[in-house]
Coordinates of all heavy atoms in Angstrom, one line a residue:
M1 N 115.3 135.2 80.8 CA 115.3 134.1 81.8 C 116.5 133.3 81.6 O 116.9 133.0 80.5 CB 114.1 133.3 81.8 CG 112.8 134.0 82.2 SD 113.0 134.6 83.9 CE 111.5 134.3 84.5
I2 N 117.1 132.8 82.7 CA 118.3 132.0 82.6 C 117.9 130.6 83.2 O 117.2 130.5 84.1 CB 119.5 132.5 83.3 CG1 119.2 132.7 84.8 CG2 120.0 133.8 82.7 CD1 120.4 133.2 85.7
R3 N 118.5 129.5 82.5 CA 118.3 128.2 83.0 C 119.4 127.7 83.8 O 120.6 128.1 83.5 CB 118.1 127.2 81.8 CG 116.8 127.4 81.1 CD 116.6 126.4 80.0 NE 117.1 125.1 80.5 CZ 116.5 124.0 80.1 NH1 115.5 123.9 79.3 NH2 117.0 122.8 80.6
V4 N 119.1 127.0 84.9 CA 120.1 126.5 85.9 C 119.9 125.1 86.1 O 118.7 124.7 86.3 CB 120.0 127.4 87.2 CG1 121.0 126.8 88.2 CG2 120.3 128.8 87.0
L5 N 120.9 124.3 86.2 CA 120.7 122.8 86.5 C 120.7 122.7 88.0 O 121.7 123.1 88.7 CB 121.8 122.0 85.9 CG 121.7 120.5 86.3 CD1 120.4 119.8 85.9 CD2 122.9 119.7 85.7
F6 N 119.7 122.1 88.6 CA 119.7 121.9 90.1 C 120.0 120.4 90.3 O 119.4 119.5 89.7 CB 118.3 122.2 90.6 CG 118.0 123.6 90.7 CD1 117.3 124.3 89.6 CD2 118.3 124.4 91.8 CE1 117.1 125.6 89.6 CE2 118.1 125.8 91.8 CZ 117.4 126.4 90.7
V7 N 120.9 120.1 91.2 CA 121.3 118.8 91.6 C 121.2 118.6 93.1 O 121.7 119.4 93.9 CB 122.8 118.5 91.2 CG1 123.2 117.0 91.5 CG2 123.0 118.8 89.7
G8 N 120.4 117.6 93.5 CA 120.2 117.3 94.9 C 119.8 115.9 95.1 O 119.9 115.0 94.3
E9 N 119.4 115.6 96.4 CA 119.2 114.2 96.8 C 117.8 113.7 96.7 O 117.6 112.6 96.5 CB 119.7 114.1 98.3 CG 121.2 114.2 98.4 CD 121.7 114.1 99.8 OE1 121.3 114.9 100.7 OE2 122.4 113.2 100.1
G10 N 116.8 114.6 96.8 CA 115.5 114.1 96.8 C 114.4 115.2 96.6 O 114.7 116.3 96.3
P11 N 113.1 114.8 96.8 CA 112.0 115.7 96.5 C 112.0 117.0 97.3 O 111.6 118.0 96.8 CB 110.8 114.9 96.7 CG 111.2 113.8 97.6 CD 112.7 113.5 97.3
H12 N 112.5 117.0 98.5 CA 112.5 118.2 99.3 C 113.6 119.2 98.8 O 113.4 120.4 98.9 CB 112.8 117.9 100.8 CG 111.7 117.1 101.4 ND1 110.4 117.5 101.6 CD2 111.7 115.8 101.8 CE1 109.7 116.6 102.2 NE2 110.4 115.5 102.3
D13 N 114.7 118.6 98.3 CA 115.7 119.5 97.7 C 115.4 120.1 96.4 O 115.4 121.3 96.1 CB 117.0 118.7 97.5 CG 117.6 118.2 98.8 OD1 117.2 118.7 99.9 OD2 118.5 117.3 98.8
I14 N 115.0 119.2 95.4 CA 114.9 119.6 94.0 C 113.6 119.2 93.4 O 113.4 119.4 92.2 CB 116.0 118.9 93.1 CG1 116.0 117.4 93.2 CG2 117.4 119.5 93.5 CD1 116.8 116.7 92.2
G15 N 112.6 118.8 94.2 CA 111.3 118.5 93.7 C 111.3 117.0 93.2 O 112.2 116.2 93.4
R16 N 110.2 116.7 92.6 CA 109.9 115.3 92.2 C 110.5 115.0 90.8 O 110.4 113.9 90.3 CB 108.5 114.9 92.2 CG 107.9 115.2 93.6 CD 106.9 114.0 93.9 NE 106.4 114.2 95.3 CZ 106.9 113.6 96.3 NH1 108.0 112.9 96.3 NH2 106.3 113.9 97.5
G17 N 111.2 116.0 90.2 CA 111.8 115.8 88.9 C 112.9 114.8 88.9 O 113.1 114.0 89.9
G18 N 113.8 114.9 88.0 CA 114.9 114.0 87.9 C 114.6 112.8 87.2 O 113.9 112.8 86.2
S19 N 115.0 111.7 87.7 CA 114.7 110.3 87.1 C 115.0 110.2 85.6 O 114.3 109.7 84.9 CB 113.2 110.0 87.4 OG 113.0 110.0 88.8
G20 N 116.1 110.9 85.2 CA 116.5 110.8 83.8 C 115.7 111.7 82.9 O 116.0 111.8 81.7
Q21 N 114.6 112.4 83.4 CA 113.8 113.3 82.6 C 114.4 114.7 82.7 O 115.1 115.0 83.6 CB 112.4 113.2 83.0 CG 111.8 111.8 83.0 CD 110.5 111.8 83.8 OE1 110.1 112.8 84.4 NE2 109.9 110.6 83.9
D22 N 114.0 115.5 81.7 CA 114.4 116.9 81.8 C 113.2 117.7 82.4 O 112.7 118.6 81.8 CB 114.7 117.4 80.4 CG 115.6 118.6 80.4 OD1 116.1 118.9 81.4 OD2 115.6 119.3 79.4
S23 N 112.8 117.2 83.6 CA 111.7 117.8 84.2 C 112.1 119.1 85.1 O 113.3 119.1 85.5 CB 111.0 116.8 85.1 OG 111.9 116.3 86.0
P24 N 111.2 120.0 85.2 CA 111.6 121.2 85.9 C 111.9 121.0 87.4 O 111.3 120.1 88.0 CB 110.4 122.1 85.7 CG 109.3 121.3 85.2 CD 109.9 120.0 84.7
A25 N 112.8 121.8 87.9 CA 113.2 121.6 89.3 C 112.1 122.3 90.2 O 111.4 123.2 89.8 CB 114.5 122.4 89.6
G26 N 111.9 121.7 91.4 CA 111.0 122.2 92.4 C 111.7 122.1 93.7 O 112.9 122.1 93.8
G27 N 110.9 122.0 94.8 CA 111.5 121.8 96.1 C 112.0 123.1 96.7 O 112.0 124.1 96.1
V28 N 112.6 122.9 97.9 CA 113.1 124.1 98.6 C 114.2 124.8 98.0 O 114.3 126.0 97.9 CB 113.5 123.6 100.1 CG1 114.1 124.7 100.8 CG2 112.3 123.0 100.8
V29 N 115.2 124.1 97.5 CA 116.4 124.7 96.9 C 116.1 125.6 95.7 O 116.5 126.7 95.6 CB 117.5 123.7 96.6 CG1 118.7 124.3 95.9 CG2 117.9 123.0 97.8
A30 N 115.3 125.0 94.8 CA 114.9 125.8 93.6 C 114.0 127.0 94.0 O 114.2 128.1 93.4 CB 114.1 124.9 92.6
G31 N 113.2 126.8 95.0 CA 112.3 127.9 95.4 C 113.2 129.1 96.0 O 112.9 130.2 95.7
L32 N 114.1 128.7 96.9 CA 115.0 129.7 97.5 C 115.9 130.4 96.4 O 116.1 131.6 96.4 CB 115.9 129.1 98.6 CG 115.2 128.7 99.9 CD1 116.1 127.9 100.8 CD2 114.6 129.9 100.5
A33 N 116.4 129.6 95.5 CA 117.2 130.2 94.4 C 116.4 131.2 93.6 O 116.9 132.2 93.2 CB 117.8 129.0 93.5
R34 N 115.2 130.8 93.3 CA 114.4 131.8 92.5 C 114.0 133.0 93.3 O 113.8 134.1 92.7 CB 113.1 131.0 92.0 CG 113.4 130.0 90.9 CD 112.2 129.4 90.3 NE 112.6 128.4 89.3 CZ 112.4 127.1 89.5 NH1 111.8 126.6 90.6 NH2 112.8 126.3 88.5
R35 N 113.9 132.9 94.6 CA 113.6 134.1 95.4 C 114.8 135.0 95.4 O 114.7 136.2 95.3 CB 113.2 133.7 96.8 CG 111.8 133.1 96.9 CD 111.5 132.9 98.3 NE 110.8 134.1 98.8 CZ 110.4 134.2 100.1 NH1 110.5 133.2 100.9 NH2 109.9 135.3 100.5
A36 N 116.0 134.4 95.4 CA 117.3 135.2 95.4 C 117.6 135.7 94.0 O 118.1 136.8 93.9 CB 118.5 134.3 95.9
C37 N 117.2 135.0 93.0 CA 117.4 135.4 91.6 C 116.2 135.1 90.8 O 116.1 134.1 90.2 CB 118.6 134.7 91.1 SG 119.0 135.1 89.4
P38 N 115.3 136.1 90.7 CA 114.0 135.9 90.0 C 114.2 135.6 88.5 O 113.3 135.1 87.8 CB 113.2 137.2 90.2 CG 113.8 137.8 91.3 CD 115.3 137.4 91.4
Q39 N 115.4 135.8 88.0 CA 115.6 135.5 86.5 C 115.8 134.0 86.3 O 115.9 133.6 85.0 CB 116.9 136.3 86.0 CG 116.7 137.7 86.0 CD 117.0 138.4 87.4 OE1 117.5 137.7 88.3 NE2 116.6 139.6 87.6
I40 N 115.9 133.2 87.2 CA 116.0 131.7 87.0 C 114.7 131.2 86.4 O 113.6 131.4 87.0 CB 116.3 131.0 88.3 CG1 117.7 131.4 88.8 CG2 116.3 129.4 88.1 CD1 118.1 130.8 90.1
A41 N 114.8 130.6 85.3 CA 113.6 130.1 84.5 C 112.9 129.0 85.3 O 113.5 128.1 85.9 CB 114.1 129.6 83.2
A42 N 111.6 129.0 85.1 CA 110.7 127.9 85.8 C 111.0 126.6 85.2 O 110.7 125.6 85.8 CB 109.3 128.3 85.6
D43 N 111.5 126.5 83.9 CA 111.8 125.2 83.3 C 113.2 124.7 83.5 O 113.7 123.8 82.8 CB 111.4 125.2 81.8 CG 112.4 126.1 81.0 OD1 113.0 127.0 81.6 OD2 112.4 126.0 79.8
S44 N 113.9 125.3 84.5 CA 115.3 124.8 84.8 C 115.2 123.3 85.3 O 114.4 123.0 86.1 CB 115.9 125.6 85.9 OG 116.1 127.0 85.5
P45 N 116.1 122.5 84.7 CA 116.0 121.1 85.0 C 116.6 120.7 86.3 O 117.4 121.4 87.0 CB 116.9 120.5 83.9 CG 117.9 121.6 83.5 CD 117.1 122.9 83.7
A46 N 116.2 119.5 86.8 CA 116.7 118.9 88.0 C 117.2 117.5 87.8 O 116.7 116.8 87.0 CB 115.6 118.9 89.1
M47 N 118.3 117.2 88.6 CA 118.8 115.8 88.5 C 119.1 115.4 90.0 O 119.5 116.2 90.8 CB 120.1 115.7 87.7 CG 120.0 115.9 86.3 SD 121.5 115.6 85.4 CE 121.6 113.8 85.4
R48 N 119.0 114.1 90.2 CA 119.4 113.5 91.5 C 120.9 113.1 91.4 O 121.4 112.7 90.4 CB 118.6 112.4 91.9 CG 117.1 112.7 92.0 CD 116.3 111.5 92.4 NE 114.9 111.7 92.3 CZ 114.1 112.4 93.1 NH1 114.7 112.9 94.2 NH2 112.9 112.6 92.9
W49 N 121.6 113.2 92.6 CA 123.0 112.8 92.7 C 123.1 111.3 92.2 O 124.1 111.0 91.5 CB 123.5 112.9 94.1 CG 123.8 114.3 94.5 CD1 123.1 115.0 95.5 CD2 124.9 115.1 94.1 NE1 123.7 116.2 95.6 CE2 124.8 116.3 94.7 CE3 125.9 115.0 93.1 CZ2 125.6 117.4 94.5 CZ3 126.7 116.0 92.9 CH2 126.6 117.2 93.6
T50 N 122.1 110.5 92.5 CA 122.2 109.1 92.1 C 122.2 108.9 90.6 O 122.5 107.8 90.1 CB 121.1 108.2 92.7 OG1 119.8 108.8 92.4 CG2 121.2 108.2 94.2
E51 N 121.7 109.8 89.8 CA 121.7 109.7 88.4 C 123.0 110.1 87.7 O 123.3 109.8 86.5 CB 120.7 110.7 87.8 CG 119.2 110.5 88.2 CD 118.3 111.5 87.6 OE1 118.2 112.6 88.2 OE2 117.8 111.2 86.5
L52 N 123.9 110.6 88.5 CA 125.2 111.0 88.0 C 126.3 109.9 88.2 O 126.6 109.6 89.3 CB 125.7 112.3 88.7 CG 124.9 113.5 88.5 CD1 125.3 114.7 89.4 CD2 124.9 114.0 87.0
V53 N 126.7 109.3 87.1 CA 127.7 108.2 87.1 C 128.8 108.6 86.2 O 128.6 108.9 85.0 CB 127.1 106.9 86.7 CG1 128.1 105.8 86.7 CG2 125.9 106.5 87.6
R54 N 130.0 108.7 86.7 CA 131.1 109.2 86.0 C 132.1 108.0 85.7 O 132.6 107.3 86.6 CB 131.9 110.3 86.8 CG 133.1 110.8 86.2 CD 132.8 112.1 85.5 NE 133.9 112.5 84.7 CZ 134.4 113.7 84.8 NH1 133.9 114.6 85.6 NH2 135.4 114.1 84.1
F55 N 132.3 107.7 84.5 CA 133.3 106.6 84.1 C 134.6 107.3 83.8 O 134.7 108.3 83.2 CB 132.8 105.9 82.9 CG 131.5 105.2 83.1 CD1 130.3 105.7 82.8 CD2 131.5 103.9 83.7 CE1 129.1 105.1 83.1 CE2 130.4 103.2 84.0 CZ 129.1 103.8 83.6
K56 N 135.7 106.6 84.4 CA 137.0 107.1 84.1 C 137.9 106.0 83.7 O 137.8 104.8 84.2 CB 137.6 107.7 85.5 CG 136.8 108.9 86.0 CD 137.6 109.6 87.1 CE 137.8 108.7 88.3 NZ 138.2 109.4 89.5
P57 N 138.9 106.2 82.8 CA 139.8 105.1 82.4 C 140.6 104.6 83.6 O 141.0 105.4 84.5 CB 140.7 105.8 81.4 CG 140.0 107.0 80.9 CD 139.1 107.4 82.1
G58 N 140.7 103.3 83.7 CA 141.5 102.7 84.8 C 140.7 102.5 86.1 O 141.2 102.0 87.1
H59 N 139.4 102.9 86.1 CA 138.6 102.8 87.3 C 137.3 102.1 86.9 O 136.8 102.3 85.7 CB 138.2 104.2 87.9 CG 139.4 104.9 88.5 ND1 140.2 105.7 87.7 CD2 139.9 104.9 89.7 CE1 141.2 106.2 88.5 NE2 141.1 105.7 89.7
V60 N 136.6 101.5 87.8 CA 135.3 100.9 87.5 C 134.4 102.0 87.3 O 133.7 102.1 86.3 CB 134.9 100.0 88.7 CG1 133.5 99.5 88.5 CG2 135.8 98.8 88.9
R61 N 134.3 103.0 88.2 CA 133.5 104.2 87.9 C 133.8 105.1 89.0 O 134.1 104.8 90.2 CB 132.0 103.9 87.8 CG 131.4 103.5 89.1 CD 129.9 103.3 88.9 NE 129.2 103.1 90.2 CZ 128.0 103.1 90.5 NH1 127.1 103.4 89.5 NH2 127.5 102.9 91.7
G62 N 133.8 106.4 88.7 CA 133.9 107.5 89.7 C 132.6 107.8 90.3 O 131.7 108.1 89.7
K63 N 132.5 107.6 91.7 CA 131.2 107.9 92.3 C 131.3 108.9 93.5 O 130.4 109.1 94.2 CB 130.6 106.6 92.7 CG 131.4 105.8 93.7 CD 130.8 104.5 94.1 CE 131.6 103.7 95.1 NZ 131.0 102.5 95.6
G64 N 132.5 109.4 93.6 CA 132.7 110.4 94.7 C 132.0 111.7 94.4 O 131.7 112.0 93.3
L65 N 131.8 112.4 95.5 CA 131.1 113.7 95.3 C 131.9 114.7 94.5 O 131.3 115.4 93.6 CB 130.9 114.3 96.7 CG 130.0 115.6 96.8 CD1 128.6 115.3 96.2 CD2 129.9 116.0 98.2
R66 N 133.2 114.7 94.5 CA 134.0 115.6 93.7 C 133.8 115.3 92.2 O 133.6 116.2 91.4 CB 135.5 115.4 94.0 CG 136.4 116.3 93.3 CD 137.8 115.8 93.4 NE 137.9 114.5 92.9 CZ 139.0 113.9 92.4 NH1 140.1 114.6 92.4 NH2 138.9 112.7 91.9
D67 N 133.8 114.0 91.8 CA 133.6 113.6 90.4 C 132.1 113.9 90.0 O 132.0 114.4 88.9 CB 133.9 112.1 90.2 CG 135.3 111.8 90.4 OD1 136.1 112.7 90.2 OD2 135.7 110.6 90.6
K68 N 131.2 113.7 90.8 CA 129.8 113.9 90.5 C 129.5 115.4 90.3 O 128.8 115.8 89.4 CB 128.8 113.3 91.5 CG 128.8 111.8 91.4 CD 127.7 111.2 92.3 CE 127.6 109.7 92.1 NZ 126.4 109.2 92.8
A69 N 130.1 116.3 91.2 CA 130.0 117.7 91.0 C 130.6 118.2 89.7 O 130.0 119.0 89.0 CB 130.6 118.4 92.2
A70 N 131.7 117.7 89.4 CA 132.3 118.1 88.1 C 131.5 117.6 86.9 O 131.3 118.4 85.9 CB 133.7 117.5 88.0
L71 N 130.9 116.4 87.0 CA 130.0 115.9 85.9 C 128.7 116.8 85.9 O 128.3 117.1 84.8 CB 129.6 114.5 86.2 CG 128.7 113.9 85.2 CD1 129.2 114.0 83.8 CD2 128.4 112.4 85.6
A72 N 128.2 117.2 87.0 CA 127.0 118.1 87.0 C 127.3 119.4 86.3 O 126.4 119.9 85.5 CB 126.6 118.4 88.5
V73 N 128.5 120.0 86.5 CA 128.8 121.2 85.8 C 128.9 121.0 84.3 O 128.4 121.8 83.5 CB 130.1 121.8 86.4 CG1 130.6 123.0 85.5 CG2 129.9 122.2 87.8
L74 N 129.5 119.9 83.9 CA 129.6 119.5 82.5 C 128.3 119.3 81.9 O 128.0 119.9 80.8 CB 130.5 118.3 82.3 CG 130.6 117.7 80.9 CD1 131.4 118.7 80.0 CD2 131.3 116.4 80.9
L75 N 127.4 118.6 82.5 CA 126.0 118.3 82.0 C 125.2 119.6 81.9 O 124.5 119.9 81.0 CB 125.3 117.3 82.9 CG 125.8 115.9 82.8 CD1 125.1 115.0 83.8 CD2 125.7 115.4 81.4
S76 N 125.4 120.5 82.9 CA 124.8 121.8 82.9 C 125.1 122.6 81.7 O 124.3 123.2 81.0 CB 125.1 122.6 84.2 OG 124.6 123.9 84.2
H77 N 126.4 122.6 81.4 CA 126.9 123.3 80.2 C 126.3 122.7 78.9 O 125.8 123.4 78.0 CB 128.4 123.3 80.2 CG 129.0 123.9 78.9 ND1 129.0 125.3 78.7 CD2 129.6 123.4 77.9 CE1 129.6 125.6 77.6 NE2 129.9 124.4 77.0
R78 N 126.3 121.4 78.8 CA 125.8 120.7 77.6 C 124.3 120.9 77.4 O 123.8 120.9 76.3 CB 126.1 119.2 77.7 CG 127.5 118.9 77.5 CD 127.8 117.4 77.5 NE 129.2 117.1 77.2 CZ 129.7 115.9 77.4 NH1 128.9 114.9 77.8 NH2 131.0 115.7 77.1
R79 N 123.6 121.1 78.5 CA 122.1 121.4 78.4 C 121.8 122.9 78.1 O 120.7 123.3 78.1 CB 121.4 121.0 79.7 CG 121.4 119.5 79.9 CD 120.7 119.1 81.1 NE 120.5 117.7 81.2 CZ 119.7 117.1 82.0 NH1 118.8 117.8 82.8 NH2 119.6 115.8 82.0
G80 N 122.9 123.7 78.0 CA 122.7 125.1 77.7 C 122.3 125.9 78.9 O 121.7 127.0 78.8
C81 N 122.6 125.4 80.1 CA 122.3 126.1 81.3 C 123.4 127.2 81.7 O 124.5 127.0 81.3 CB 122.2 125.2 82.5 SG 120.8 124.1 82.4
A82 N 123.0 128.3 82.3 CA 123.9 129.3 82.6 C 124.7 129.0 84.0 O 125.7 129.7 84.3 CB 123.2 130.6 82.8
G83 N 124.2 128.0 84.7 CA 124.8 127.7 86.0 C 124.4 126.4 86.5 O 123.5 125.7 86.0
T84 N 125.0 126.0 87.7 CA 124.7 124.7 88.3 C 124.5 125.0 89.8 O 125.3 125.7 90.4 CB 125.8 123.7 88.1 OG1 126.2 123.7 86.7 CG2 125.4 122.4 88.6
V85 N 123.4 124.5 90.4 CA 123.2 124.6 91.8 C 123.2 123.2 92.4 O 122.4 122.3 92.0 CB 121.9 125.3 92.2 CG1 121.6 125.3 93.7 CG2 121.8 126.7 91.6
C86 N 124.2 122.9 93.2 CA 124.4 121.6 93.8 C 124.1 121.7 95.3 O 124.7 122.5 96.0 CB 125.8 121.0 93.6 SG 126.2 120.7 91.9
V87 N 123.3 120.7 95.9 CA 123.1 120.7 97.3 C 123.2 119.3 97.8 O 122.8 118.3 97.1 CB 121.7 121.3 97.6 CG1 120.6 120.5 97.0 CG2 121.5 121.4 99.1
V88 N 123.8 119.1 98.9 CA 124.0 117.8 99.5 C 124.0 117.9 101.0 O 124.5 118.9 101.6 CB 125.3 117.1 99.0 CG1 126.5 117.8 99.4 CG2 125.4 115.6 99.4
D89 N 123.4 117.0 101.7 CA 123.5 116.9 103.2 C 124.9 116.5 103.7 O 125.5 115.7 103.1 CB 122.5 116.0 103.8 CG 121.0 116.4 103.5 OD1 120.8 117.5 103.3 OD2 120.2 115.4 103.5
R90 N 125.3 117.2 104.7 CA 126.7 116.9 105.2 C 126.7 115.5 105.9 O 127.7 114.8 105.9 CB 127.1 118.0 106.2 CG 128.6 117.8 106.6 CD 129.2 118.9 107.3 NE 128.7 118.9 108.6 CZ 128.9 119.8 109.6 NH1 129.6 120.8 109.2 NH2 128.5 119.7 110.7
D91 N 125.6 115.1 106.6 CA 125.5 113.8 107.3 C 126.7 113.5 108.2 O 127.2 112.4 108.2 CB 125.3 112.7 106.3 CG 123.9 112.8 105.6 OD1 123.0 113.4 106.2 OD2 123.8 112.3 104.5
R92 N 127.1 114.5 108.9 CA 128.3 114.4 109.8 C 129.6 114.1 109.2 O 130.5 113.6 109.8 CB 128.0 113.4 111.0 CG 126.8 113.9 111.8 CD 126.7 113.0 113.0 NE 125.6 113.4 113.8 CZ 124.5 112.8 114.1 NH1 124.3 111.5 113.6 NH2 123.5 113.2 114.8
D93 N 129.7 114.2 107.8 CA 130.9 114.0 107.1 C 131.6 115.3 106.8 O 131.1 116.1 105.9 CB 130.5 113.2 105.8 CG 131.7 112.8 105.0 OD1 132.9 113.3 105.3 OD2 131.5 112.1 104.0
Q94 N 132.7 115.5 107.5 CA 133.3 116.8 107.4 C 134.0 117.0 106.0 O 134.4 118.1 105.6 CB 134.4 116.9 108.5 CG 133.9 116.9 109.9 CD 132.9 118.1 110.1 OE1 133.2 119.2 109.7 NE2 131.9 117.9 110.9
D95 N 134.2 115.9 105.2 CA 134.9 116.0 103.9 C 133.9 116.4 102.8 O 134.4 116.6 101.7 CB 135.6 114.7 103.6 CG 136.7 114.4 104.6 OD1 137.3 115.3 105.1 OD2 136.9 113.2 104.9
R96 N 132.6 116.4 103.0 CA 131.7 116.6 101.9 C 131.8 118.0 101.3 O 131.8 118.1 100.1 CB 130.3 116.4 102.4 CG 129.9 114.9 102.4 CD 128.5 114.7 102.4 NE 128.2 113.3 102.2 CZ 127.0 112.8 102.1 NH1 126.0 113.5 102.2 NH2 126.8 111.5 101.8
L97 N 131.9 119.0 102.2 CA 131.9 120.4 101.6 C 133.2 120.6 100.8 O 133.2 121.1 99.7 CB 131.8 121.4 102.7 CG 131.7 122.9 102.2 CD1 130.6 123.1 101.2 CD2 131.5 123.8 103.4
P98 N 134.4 120.2 101.4 CA 135.6 120.4 100.5 C 135.6 119.6 99.2 O 136.0 120.1 98.2 CB 136.7 119.9 101.4 CG 136.2 120.0 102.8 CD 134.7 119.8 102.7
A99 N 135.0 118.4 99.2 CA 134.9 117.6 98.0 C 134.0 118.3 97.0 O 134.3 118.3 95.8 CB 134.4 116.2 98.3
L100 N 132.9 118.8 97.5 CA 131.9 119.5 96.6 C 132.6 120.7 96.0 O 132.5 120.9 94.8 CB 130.7 119.9 97.4 CG 129.5 120.6 96.6 CD1 129.0 119.6 95.5 CD2 128.4 120.9 97.5
R101 N 133.3 121.5 96.8 CA 134.0 122.7 96.3 C 135.1 122.3 95.3 O 135.3 123.0 94.3 CB 134.6 123.5 97.4 CG 133.6 124.2 98.2 CD 134.3 125.0 99.3 NE 133.3 125.8 100.0 CZ 133.4 126.2 101.2 NH1 134.4 125.9 101.9 NH2 132.4 127.0 101.8
E102 N 135.8 121.2 95.5 CA 136.8 120.8 94.6 C 136.3 120.4 93.3 O 136.8 120.7 92.2 CB 137.6 119.6 95.2 CG 138.8 119.2 94.4 CD 139.6 118.1 95.1 OE1 139.5 118.0 96.4 OE2 140.2 117.3 94.4
G103 N 135.1 119.7 93.3 CA 134.5 119.3 92.0 C 133.9 120.4 91.3 O 134.0 120.4 90.1
L104 N 133.4 121.4 92.0 CA 132.9 122.6 91.3 C 133.9 123.5 90.7 O 133.7 124.1 89.7 CB 132.0 123.4 92.2 CG 130.7 122.6 92.6 CD1 129.9 123.5 93.7 CD2 129.8 122.3 91.5
A105 N 135.1 123.4 91.3 CA 136.3 124.2 90.8 C 136.8 123.6 89.5 O 137.2 124.3 88.6 CB 137.4 124.3 91.8

């Protein structure tokens, strides 16, 4: 089984986990990911976007989606996960998908 870090906005996305705990991911995204890849472990952790705060020299803090996606990948690696699944609503913001892709790259 492989562990994957799920990052999302709320309980429908990633379940009721998150909140600074290493609780297992639930919700729609984790369910769909496990259907597509049954090897994803049931104890894969979840985090909310609001839990990701990135500090950078010369800035008060990095809070953009690009920075948070990059931090999610770093935290995923540090937790021994094989991958990272990030999901965010577009909310009529055309820049969200490019920012997310840039941070994951």
Side-chain angles (χ1 to χ4, degrees):
M1 291 300 219
I2 59 172
R3 288 181 45 143
V4 175
L5 174 64
F6 290 91
V7 182
E9 294 180 296
H12 296 292
D13 296 343
I14 59 168
R16 301 223 181 264
S19 305
Q21 304 165 358
D22 201 17
S23 56
V28 175
V29 174
L32 290 173
R34 288 185 183 112
R35 287 185 88 180
C37 181
Q39 294 82 12
I40 295 175
D43 68 341
S44 291
M47 291 187 77
R48 298 183 194 282
W49 285 111
T50 56
E51 295 178 278
L52 297 171
V53 178
R54 178 100 187 228
F55 294 94
K56 298 190 299 189
H59 294 87
V60 174
R61 70 178 187 167
K63 60 181 179 177
L65 189 57
R66 182 193 60 156
D67 290 340
K68 286 185 175 190
L71 178 57
V73 172
L74 176 65
L75 291 174
S76 175
H77 176 72
R78 286 184 178 170
R79 290 180 175 200
C81 295
T84 311
V85 175
C86 296
V87 63
V88 64
D89 295 336
R90 189 170 76 182
D91 292 333
R92 296 188 179 118
D93 182 351
Q94 299 297 323
D95 295 329
R96 281 196 168 183
L97 184 58
L100 185 60
R101 285 184 175 150
E102 188 178 331
L104 295 175

